[in-house]
Amino acid sequence: MIRTKDDTTDDTGLAAGFGSGRCAWDRSVCVDKPTHFVTSDSVEGRSADVYCLRHYVLSLALLCELHLPDCAGDFPGHITRHGKF
């Protein structure tokens, strides 16, 4: 389980101990160790999720291929930071 989404470290937007749980993919069960992160800002505040490599790529692909074509926003408007941690 992810400990917190609010406290940040090292200019990554990630909390200390962030990613110590399992992949945050919620469309099926994934027990792979998270190695990548995706952060975004919304009206609720900063949100960050961690994924295994496979689900990190799929989460970005879903955003780019399914959401963005019908959205007035752009990629930087949805995702503030992403990458390997």
Side-chain angles (χ1 to χ4, degrees):
M1 177 154 190
I2 299 171
R3 295 181 187 173
T4 181
K5 293 183 178 180
D6 298 323
D7 299 324
T8 60
T9 60
D10 298 331
D11 191 38
T12 62
L14 300 180
F18 197 78
S20 61
R22 62 184 185 133
C23 176
W25 186 254
D26 61 0
R27 294 173 184 247
S28 63
V29 175
C30 179
V31 296
D32 293 339
K33 182 175 173 67
T35 56
H36 291 73
F37 69 95
V38 176
T39 61
S40 59
D41 289 327
S42 66
V43 292
E44 293 88 25
R46 175 167 285 159
S47 174
D49 291 304
V50 293
Y51 299 100
C52 66
L53 176 59
R54 175 178 47 160
H55 291 126
Y56 165 73
V57 171
L58 284 173
S59 67
L60 295 179
L62 284 170
L63 175 69
C64 292
E65 297 296 322
L66 298 178
H67 178 76
L68 289 179
D70 296 325
C71 180
D74 57 2
F75 186 85
H78 287 73
I79 304 296
T80 55
R81 296 187 63 103
H82 64 92
K84 188 172 184 173
F85 58 86

